Amino acid sequence: MHIGNILRDRLRTDGKSVVWLARELGCHRTNIYNLFDKYSLDTQLLQRISIIMKYNFFELYSRDTERKIKENPPKV
């Protein structure tokens, strides 16, 4: 799962701009473009983004984790 790509796609889906998210997070837009390249994000930052965008990115991780657990049952 590449959270940076998902974040970029979600911004587009919501019709929001990089400038908008940067302003909401209190950072420069260059920082947002850098997030798009990341496979993972700090949980506190991801929580802030989730609240700002009103979208639970953690739910994606939860579903992905459940899928991986089912694909790789514990070895007995």
Side-chain angles (χ1 to χ4, degrees), residues 13-47:
T13 298
D14 289 352
K16 303 288 187 184
S17 70
V18 169
V19 173
W20 173 83
L21 183 56
R23 186 172 41 246
E24 293 294 314
L25 283 172
C27 66
H28 193 272
R29 65 187 173 101
T30 305
N31 295 349
I32 304 302
Y33 287 114
N34 289 337
L35 292 178
F36 295 160
D37 294 330
K38 300 208 179 267
Y39 281 93
S40 65
L41 296 178
D42 174 79
T43 54
Q44 188 173 10
L45 175 58
L46 190 58
Q47 183 181 43

Side-chain angles (χ1 to χ4, degrees), residues 1-11 21 32-43 45-47 49-50 53 55-64:
M1 195 166 103
H2 190 294
I3 194 65
N5 286 341
I6 294 168
L7 173 58
R8 183 190 60 235
D9 293 345
R10 189 68 204 184
L11 265 179
L21 183 56
I32 304 302
Y33 287 114
N34 289 337
L35 292 178
F36 295 160
D37 294 330
K38 300 208 179 267
Y39 281 93
S40 65
L41 296 178
D42 174 79
T43 54
L45 175 58
L46 190 58
Q47 183 181 43
I49 292 170
S50 293
M53 294 184 65
Y55 183 81
N56 187 356
F57 289 95
F58 292 98
E59 179 64 28
L60 301 174
Y61 279 106
S62 180
R63 286 193 300 238
D64 188 53

